[in-house]
C-alpha cells in the first residue's frame, strides 16, 4: 500500500488498486471560526484537489470541524462517487455521503471497509464534540489498516483490537488536540497514547497524521518520534507530498 500525506488529517491511501482519501482539507492557512472558538491553521496542504486526481471514495471521520473537513474539502466531496462517514454527516451533507455505523461494512472493489468507534475527547464529551468515526480497511492478501479518526480513547482502541486482532498498519490522528471547548483534556491521542495504541493493536507499522499544521495541537513530531520509538512497531512520520510505501 501507499500513503501520500497532504497535511493535517488528509492523506491519500492506495491499497488493492483502490484510492481512498482521508478527511479532505485543502484550505490555506488562516483563522477558521467554529462556534465561539477559532481554530488557526498554520500551514497549507502539500498539494491541492487537482493533484489528488480521481478517488474511489473519501473516508470522512466527521464533518463538523474545519480541521477535518474545510470549504475546499466540502467542494471535493461533490466530485467523488462515495463518501463513508457518520450518520450525522450523512444527514447534514446528503449524497454522496453514506453513513457507515460502527461494526458495519461496505465492500469497495477487493476491500471491506468497516466503521469503528471513535471518541473525540474524554468520556462523556460526545454532546460537545459530536459524532466521529474511524475505519478498518481489509481485503484478501492485503494489509489490514486501522484509521483512528479523531479518537482520544484507549478503551476504544482496545474494543477495535478485540474485533481485529491482526492490524498491520495503524494510521493514528495524534496531535493531542486541545481547545477551550474542553480545556483540561486532549481531544485526540497524545504521543504516549499513540505508542500505547500501537502496542494494543500489535501494529507492524504506525503512520501518525493530524499532528501538525494547526495551532490547537499540543504535541507533534518532536514528541511522537521518541514516544513511538519505544513501541514494538515501525514508525513512519510522513513528509507532506512524499509517497510512503509500506510492505
Amino acid at each position: 500500500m501507499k500513503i501520500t500525506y497532504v497535511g493535517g488529517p488528509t492523506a491519500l491511501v492506495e491499497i488493492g488498486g483502490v484510492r481512498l482519501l482521508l478527511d479532505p482539507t485543502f484550505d490555506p492557512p488562516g483563522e477558521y471560526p467554529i462556534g465561539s472558538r477559532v481554530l488557526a491553521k498554520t500551514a497549507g496542504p502539500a498539494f491541492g484537489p487537482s493533484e489528488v486526481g480521481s478517488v474511489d471514495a473519501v473516508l470522512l471521520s466527521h464533518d463538523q470541524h474545519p480541521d477535518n473537513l474545510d470549504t475546499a474539502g466540502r467542494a471535493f466531496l461533490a466530485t467523488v462517487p462515495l463518501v463513508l462517514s457518520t450518520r450525522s454527516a450523512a444527514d447534514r451533507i446528503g449524497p454522496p455521503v453514506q453513513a457507515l455505523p460502527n461494526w458495519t461494512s461496505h465492500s469497495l472493489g477487493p476491500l471491506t471497509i468497516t466503521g469503528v468507534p471513535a471518541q473525540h475527547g474524554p468520556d462523556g464529551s460526545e454532546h460537545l464534540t459530536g459524532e466521529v468515526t474511524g475505519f478498518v480497511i481489509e481485503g484478501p492478501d492485503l494489509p489490514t489498516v486501522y484509521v483512528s479518526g479523531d479518537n482520544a480513547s484507549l478503551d476504544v482502541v482496545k474494543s477495535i483490537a478485540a474485533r481485529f486482532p491482526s492490524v498491520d498498519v495503524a494510521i493514528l490522528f495524534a496531535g493531542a488536540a486541545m481547545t477551550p471547548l474542553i480545556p483540561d483534556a486532549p481531544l485526540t491521542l497524545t504521543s504516549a497514547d499513540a505508542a500505547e495504541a500501537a502496542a494494543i493493536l500489535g501494529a507492524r507499522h504506525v503512520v501518525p497524521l493530524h499532528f501538525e499544521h494547526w495551532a490547537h495541537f499540543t504535541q507533534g513530531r518532536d514528541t511522537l518520534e521518541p514516544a513511538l520509538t519505544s513501541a514494538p512497531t515501525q514508525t513512519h512520520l510522513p513528509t507532506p507530498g512524499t509517497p510512503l510505501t509500506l510492505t
Side-chain angles (χ1 to χ4, degrees), residues 35-184:
S36 61
R37 294 162 288 130
V38 174
L39 300 183
K41 188 174 186 178
T42 59
F47 51 89
S50 60
E51 287 80 18
V52 171
S54 62
V55 300
D56 297 291
V58 166
L59 304 186
L60 177 63
S61 68
H62 60 300
D63 70 304
Q64 65 266 30
H65 298 145
D67 58 326
N68 293 86
L69 181 67
D70 58 18
T71 300
R74 288 178 185 273
F76 184 80
L77 296 187
T79 71
V80 304
L82 174 66
V83 181
L84 298 176
S85 191
T86 64
R87 170 58 62 191
S88 302
D91 290 345
R92 283 188 287 256
I93 299 173
V97 182
Q98 294 184 21
L100 188 66
N102 291 341
W103 314 123
T104 65
S105 299
H106 183 95
S107 296
L108 185 61
L111 303 181
T112 298
I113 303 171
T114 301
V116 297
Q119 181 178 302
H120 198 358
D123 291 348
S125 62
E126 184 173 315
H127 69 291
L128 295 172
T129 57
E131 186 183 13
V132 181
T133 192
F135 304 91
V136 170
I137 306 161
E138 55 187 342
D141 301 317
L142 294 171
T144 296
V145 182
Y146 165 57
V147 181
S148 73
D150 275 4
N151 173 61
S153 169
L154 291 175
D155 285 339
V156 164
V157 175
K158 290 174 184 176
S159 74
I160 293 161
R163 296 219 185 193
F164 297 92
S166 299
V167 171
D168 298 294
V169 180
I171 299 176
L172 303 177
F173 290 17
M178 295 187 73
T179 76
L181 183 67
I182 306 174
D184 299 322

Side-chain angles (χ1 to χ4, degrees), residues 144-229:
T144 296
V145 182
Y146 165 57
V147 181
S148 73
D150 275 4
N151 173 61
S153 169
L154 291 175
D155 285 339
V156 164
V157 175
K158 290 174 184 176
S159 74
I160 293 161
R163 296 219 185 193
F164 297 92
S166 299
V167 171
D168 298 294
V169 180
I171 299 176
L172 303 177
F173 290 17
M178 295 187 73
T179 76
L181 183 67
I182 306 174
D184 299 322
L187 304 180
T188 56
L189 293 172
T190 66
S191 297
D193 284 347
E196 188 168 350
I200 291 167
L201 294 162
R204 293 193 298 115
H205 300 275
V206 173
V207 181
L209 293 180
H210 214 25
F211 60 86
E212 60 186 358
H213 304 157
W214 288 89
H216 61 289
F217 295 152
T218 63
Q219 296 181 354
R221 288 182 184 271
D222 58 335
T223 55
L224 275 166
E225 189 165 14
L228 288 169
T229 297

